[in-house]
């Protein structure tokens, strides 16, 4: 019998064949049959027959389906097997219905939950408010929804969202956004939050420019509009420019707003109408509409129609004007008082006119009672009767009744004197605006004999000028220069400006551009040498920090620091008399040369008068004296005598002109050797004619 050493038995071959077929049927196996076999080869001993229970065979087991499958070591089994005892490799099933169920055996699971961010929730909510406002145009509803939303600390993000959404829409939505901001200002959103919201917009200008090609120009226009609407102080531009990187789009926005929109002539009107004014009209137009609807109401008595007209104006932030004009009309037409009280009561009960707007309206009328008394003598008495009626009917808050003396002016035993002074001052100022006669105004003020009220006069002068055309603004600045030289001290002027700036917020209720106008008056006073730059620091120190008056002072400093500030500020109101100083000097020199060459003294006086710069007449005196020294012609003294006799050149201007010659005598002697001798002669002549103040005489005596 042949040896079978090294060969498989028939039984082993059959087993191997079945195992191979089984492996080929497992399509999910990543290993090939060959590799599988190589891992579990059948080892046959050389010396004899192979054992039937070989190493490879014990890893192959028949399943319940009849197939052979590879199983794990230690009998853990595979598909179709029971697994080994205490098997911990597989997932065990926990039956919660099992009497021995223990919840501690449940596997731990980390359950993810979204953490709610209040700011994200706020941003989502305001989007729906803005979308609804763009659809309905209902300012009151938007304001109410924003109040109900709460989270007041996030209001700057509302401003960012409102403006950024409007920027990507039509002009109608841009105009609506500006109107809504004006309506929300102060009542819902504070001034600081408005500024913060716009600063956030400036910081994100680079991102906005990616989606909106003209983002820089549109955002600049929004900022300019906010300044014109007096909800954003002009000083905001200066602060923001310092904070933002020069290479940023936000910095470009500020530059565009300043140069393209806020520096242009009549910029306020241009900016207001840039988006077509579809939902916005000028303040003057609103005032006219209010006056018309109130007169129609008095004639018809239809309160429902009057409320509808007020609502259609769409200027809820300006309803204080309705209150003020309604009360004035009740004083003018005594029979209309019951109708007016009925209208205001219904408007308050409907929520059409808010309590804050009602208070503002009464407060504004209370402040203007002195002026109103010129037209309605019993205005103060009538007002004092109206207030308790409004409070008793429940549509005016009792907090309106304040103790006297809270407006920063004089309220003591001199009250009656102050009232009379204000009446006289208003009359004098109105006459000046008509006549342009500065000497007459100065004489009228001196006749009043109340120099301690000079700051009040300054406040009245500038307040009245701000509500008029550029001509009157220019006249007010020219008058201020003359008053400073003649009868007002620097302290008077500083105190007058402090009073103006303390009431700046109230002034802005009537004059939307009040902050900008006041800044120009301050800057002009510095350019005209009425105030020194250090006086601005003094004025600022007397104001509460972060108030609108302080912002105005900052704005004035910025105007003065600008390039060519002097000429620009002198021409800020159209250059009626505010032309460059060098131009004035040239004109003075020409008129003096014409007179010296044989001109008429009356014509020369008229030319000086036509200059319209009485505060600069000391230059006429100085140049006339220098020309008299150079030409050795004393004819100039005749001209000065005529000007003095006519009151064209005052004693203060004469003294100042002589003082300037005296200060520059050393330089003058280089060109005119006998300048000192000539000047002594002119001083002696001036003393005899009474041209000079006693203070100048004493200083001359000291020098001699």
């Amino acid at each position: 019998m042949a040896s079978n050493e090294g060969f498989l038995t028939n039984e082993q071959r059959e087993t191997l064949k079945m195992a191979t077929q089984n492996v080929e049927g497992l399509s999910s196996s990543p290993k090939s049959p060959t590799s599988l076999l190589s891992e579990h080869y059948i080892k046959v001993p050389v010396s004899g027959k192979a054992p039937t229970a070989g190493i490879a065979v014990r890893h192959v087991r028949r399943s319940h389906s009849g197939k052979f499958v590879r199983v794990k070591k230690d009998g853990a089994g595979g598909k179709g097997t029971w697994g080994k005892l205490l098997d911990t490799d597989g997932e065990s099933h926990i039956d919660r219905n099992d009497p021995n169920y223990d919840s501690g055996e449940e596997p731990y699971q980390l359950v993810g939950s979204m953490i709610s961010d209040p700011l994200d929730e706020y941003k989502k909510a305001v989007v729906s408010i803005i979308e609804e406002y763009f659809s309905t145009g209902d300012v009151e509803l938007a304001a109410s929804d924003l109040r109900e939303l709460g989270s007041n600390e996030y209001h700057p993000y509302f401003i960012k969202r409102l403006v950024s959404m409007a920027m990507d829409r039509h002009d109608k939505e841009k105009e609506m956004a500006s109107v809504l901001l004006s309506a929300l200002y102060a009542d819902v959103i504070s001034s600081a939050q408005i500024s913060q919201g716009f600063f956030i917009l400036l910081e994100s200008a680079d991102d906005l420019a990616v989606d909106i090609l003209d983002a820089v120009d549109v955002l600049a226009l929004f900022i300019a509009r906010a300044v014109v609407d007096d909800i954003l102080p002009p000083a905001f531009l200066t602060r923001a420019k310092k904070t933002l990187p020069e290479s940023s789009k936000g910095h470009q926005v500020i530059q565009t707003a300043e140069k393209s929109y806020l520096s242009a002539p009549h910029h306020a009107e241009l900016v207001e109408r840039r988006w077509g004014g579809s939902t916005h009209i000028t303040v003057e137009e609103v005032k006219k509409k209010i006056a018309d609807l109130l007169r129609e109401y008095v004639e018809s008595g239809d309160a429902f129609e009057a409320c509808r007209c007020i609502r259609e104006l769409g200027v809820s932030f300006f309803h204080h004007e309705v209150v003020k004009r309604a009360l004035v009309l009740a004083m003018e037409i005594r029979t209309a008082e019951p109708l007016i009280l009925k209208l205001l009561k219904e408007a308050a009960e409907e929520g059409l006119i808010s309590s804050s707007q009602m208070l503002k309206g009464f407060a504004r009328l209370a402040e203007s009672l002195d002026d109103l008394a010129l037209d309605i003598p019993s205005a103060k008495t009538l007002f004092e009767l109206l207030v308790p009626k409004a409070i008793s009917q429940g549509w005016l808050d009792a907090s309106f009744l304040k103790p006297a003396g809270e407006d920063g002016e004089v309220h003591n035993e001199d009250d009656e004197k102050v009232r009379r002074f204000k009446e006289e001052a208003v009359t004098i100022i109105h006459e000046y605006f008509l006549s342009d006669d500065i000497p007459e105004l100065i004489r009228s003020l001196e006749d009043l004999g109340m120099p301690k009220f000079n700051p009040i006069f300054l406040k009245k002068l500038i307040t009245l000028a701000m509500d008029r055309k550029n001509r009157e603004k220019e006249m007010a600045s020219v008058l201020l220069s003359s008053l400073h030289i003649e009868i007002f001290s620097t302290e008077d002027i500083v105190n007058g400006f402090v009073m103006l700036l303390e009431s700046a917020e109230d002034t802005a209720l009537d004059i939307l551009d009040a902050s900008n106008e006041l800044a120009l008056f301050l800057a002009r006073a510095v350019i005209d040498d009425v105030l020194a730059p250090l006086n601005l620091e003094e004025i600022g120190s007397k104001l509460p920090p972060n108030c609108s008056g302080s912002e105005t002072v900052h704005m004035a400093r910025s105007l003065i620091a600008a390039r060519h500030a002097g000429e620009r500020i002198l021409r800020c109101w159209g250059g009626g008399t505010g032309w460059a100083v060098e131009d004035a000097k040239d004109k003075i020199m020409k008129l003096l040369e014409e007179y010296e060459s044989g001109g008429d003294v009356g014509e020369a006086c008229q030319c000086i008068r036509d200059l319209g710069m009485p505060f600069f007449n000391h230059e006429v005196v100085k140049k006339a004296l220098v020309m008299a020294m150079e030409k050795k012609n004393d004819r100039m003294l005749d001209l000065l005598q005529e000007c003095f006799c006519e009151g064209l050149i005052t004693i203060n201007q004469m003294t100042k002109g002589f003082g300037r010659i005296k200060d520059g005598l050393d330089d003058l002697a280089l060109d005119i050797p006998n300048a000192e001798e000539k000047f002594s002669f002119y001083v002696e002549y001036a003393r005899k004619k009474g041209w000079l103040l006693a203070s100048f005489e004493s200083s001359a005596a000291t020098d001699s």
Side-chain angles (χ1 to χ4, degrees), residues 181-374:
L181 286 177
S182 294
L184 298 175
Y185 174 71
D187 286 340
V188 181
I189 302 178
S190 69
S191 175
Q193 289 174 326
I194 294 273
S195 297
Q196 189 180 351
F198 273 103
F199 189 77
I200 294 172
L201 276 164
L202 288 171
E203 287 182 319
S204 60
D206 292 277
D207 296 332
L208 290 171
V210 174
D211 299 319
I212 306 167
L213 293 179
D214 57 347
V216 170
D217 188 65
V218 176
L219 185 52
L221 191 51
F222 265 109
I223 287 176
R225 176 62 177 272
V227 172
V228 168
D229 287 346
D230 210 28
I231 64 173
L232 196 64
F236 169 83
L237 304 179
T238 307
R239 292 200 308 269
K241 191 188 290 186
K242 291 178 181 177
T243 307
L244 296 166
E246 290 188 10
S247 59
S248 67
K249 295 286 186 185
H251 198 272
Q252 291 179 32
V253 170
I254 296 295
Q255 289 182 320
T256 304
E258 287 180 332
K259 294 179 181 178
S260 301
Y261 296 118
L262 295 175
S263 299
H266 310 295
H267 67 272
E269 185 175 353
L270 292 173
V271 168
E272 282 183 337
R273 297 191 178 276
R274 182 61 182 269
W275 289 318
S278 57
T279 62
H280 186 65
I281 53 179
T282 64
V283 174
E284 289 305 317
E285 289 171 339
V286 172
K287 288 181 178 179
K288 185 178 183 303
K289 285 179 180 287
I290 291 171
D292 291 343
L293 75 86
L294 287 173
R295 290 198 176 274
E296 287 178 12
Y297 166 68
V298 169
E299 292 174 5
S300 67
D302 189 344
F304 178 81
E305 177 65 16
C307 287
R308 187 188 66 79
C309 292
I310 295 171
R311 192 176 291 106
E312 283 187 354
L313 285 175
V315 287
S316 56
F317 59 93
F318 204 58
H319 281 167
H320 54 79
E321 182 71 16
V322 177
V323 177
K324 177 185 173 185
R325 286 182 177 266
L327 295 172
V328 171
L329 192 59
M331 294 179 185
E332 290 176 341
I333 306 172
R334 298 297 302 126
T335 55
E337 182 182 311
L339 284 172
I340 294 295
L341 295 179
K342 176 188 175 186
L343 174 63
L344 292 177
K345 182 180 179 183
E346 288 193 14
E349 289 175 349
E350 286 183 20
L352 178 58
I353 299 179
S354 66
S355 59
S356 62
Q357 291 289 309
M358 196 70 76
L359 283 168
K360 284 181 185 177
F362 270 83
R364 287 182 57 214
L365 183 59
E367 290 170 0
S368 61
L369 280 176
D370 292 327
D371 296 338
L372 191 61
L374 299 176

Side-chain angles (χ1 to χ4, degrees), residues 5 22 56 85 97 141 192 302 372 375 432 439 471 505:
E5 187 177 354
N22 186 56
L85 187 63
N97 296 319
L141 179 61
D302 189 344
L372 191 61
D375 299 317
Y432 166 65
R471 173 183 173 272
E505 292 181 0

